Amino acid sequence: MKTYLVGGAVRDALLGKPVKDRDWVIVGATPEQLLQLGYTAVGKDFPVFLHPQSHEEYALARTERKIGSGYHGFSCETGTHISLEQDLARRDLTINALAQDEFGTIIDPYGGQADLKSKILRHVSPAFAEDPLRVLRVARFAARYANDGFSIAPETLNLMQDIVQQGELAHLSAERIWLETHKALGENRPDVYIEVLQQCGALQALFPEIAQLFGVPQRAEYHPEVDTGIHILLCLRVAARDNLSTRVRFAILVHDLGKGLTPKEQLPRHIHHEHTGVPLVNTLCQRYKVPRDYQQLAEMVCQYHLDCHRVVELQAKTLWGNLQKLDAIRRPERFIEFLQACQADAQGRLGLEHKPYPQFDYFKQAQHVVAQITPKQLDNLGQLNGLEIGHALGALRIHALHEFKQKYLTQS
């Protein structure tokens, strides 16, 4: 029985990156032997065990054979006769098909170290095409390592295109698509994930609402990049630069979906796109069972991002109305995320990535002004019913916002 450290832990150590999770493969053992040694069985589809002390995952070496459609359509074989090289052969990329023995020796039967040096994401074997989930995984790895100079091998991209053209993505569950996309949004370059999916045709297959933004023009005086799809990529870059949450990044990804519905005769203007986009955001979120808090923020950013851009121009009454629509007093944390998304939208334009966005602080200060005004400040509180309290409180807040606006304009 021999034990090897495999996959991402070996890859990241060779890249000089922090190792987060460690996975192990055991060659020459049976499930019964591991159970006798105190391991706990946890694998459903194939034998995976938790180490009695470290609780890290140890899998028996296995091979896989395609017997059906999708990423579930595999038959796994384990046994003491399965070699380490056979186990590594079933992995997706050469840089993930690496192992290390107890002495620190690297086992590399498929050229993973050479591809690490060349910064290439390359599939291990033609069996890559048997698992459609690998299209999303490779796109996610491209997003993770883009800043390190990694790119996808042309032959691997061709295989990804073949998988898409054969309709294999239709066999992926909504949960797995969202899981991979959610992970990718958290990577260093989430824009690369979208770009790779676009290149191989997967974006059109999975996210047609996003795919149709590419090639749609915008007014060049506001958007020097012109192409709406490119604008979305630039916004995601800004979000990653500013280390914004995945919830904000998702909202940014879908905030301009309405521009894909603009009639051609109106282009490059996009009248009311902030409203026409909301049903598309809802449809996409329902299709992939996106968490409710992600959907709520995304719909909010889609519908109100233009109001944020022109917030300094708004009169006090309108400003108070917008704060109410955004539920800014009761949900201040989400309100800040809304502002973050709007700033990323404003800065996600070619050559304007560092342009100041004073609307962020202005809107934030306005929220702070009204949040300080409570019913206790009403002189005749005890004589008012609930509706009257609401009206009186609103009047106080509008007055405070008017004074805030005048002071801001004077200082500016």
Side-chain angles (χ1 to χ4, degrees), residues 25-29 47 59-63 77-79 82-84 87 90:
V25 162
I26 300 177
V27 176
L60 290 180
R62 69 184 189 273
T63 59
E77 180 184 359
T78 62
I82 303 295
S83 68
L84 176 65
D87 181 273
R90 64 178 177 77

Side-chain angles (χ1 to χ4, degrees), residues 397-412:
R397 286 170 168 166
I398 291 171
H399 178 71
L401 287 173
H402 178 75
E403 291 187 336
F404 160 73
K405 180 179 177 64
Q406 295 306 311
K407 182 178 179 181
Y408 179 86
L409 293 176
T410 300
Q411 293 175 343
S412 301

Side-chain angles (χ1 to χ4, degrees), residues 213-220 223 226-228 259 262 267-270:
L213 297 179
F214 287 87
V216 173
Q218 304 167 105
R219 293 174 64 180
H223 286 276
V226 180
D227 190 300
T228 305
K259 290 182 177 179
T262 300
L267 295 174
R269 302 177 67 203
H270 295 277

Side-chain angles (χ1 to χ4, degrees), residues 154-172:
E155 62 270 26
T156 301
L157 189 61
N158 289 338
L159 267 184
M160 293 165 65
Q161 292 169 340
D162 290 342
I163 293 172
V164 173
Q165 291 169 3
Q166 291 165 13
E168 279 288 304
L169 296 186
H171 300 291
L172 294 176

Side-chain angles (χ1 to χ4, degrees), residues 11 92-93 96 121 128 131-143 160 176 180 183 193 197:
R11 176 199 69 224
D92 49 9
L93 298 172
N96 294 330
L121 302 175
F128 174 95
D131 184 356
L133 187 64
R134 289 176 170 176
V135 171
L136 302 185
R137 278 178 54 82
V138 172
R140 177 162 61 85
F141 278 116
M160 293 165 65
R176 288 311 297 258
E180 287 297 321
K183 288 180 179 179
Y193 176 75
L197 294 187

Side-chain angles (χ1 to χ4, degrees), residues 190-202:
D191 58 301
V192 171
Y193 176 75
I194 299 301
E195 197 169 17
V196 170
L197 294 187
Q198 172 74 355
Q199 289 173 351
C200 70

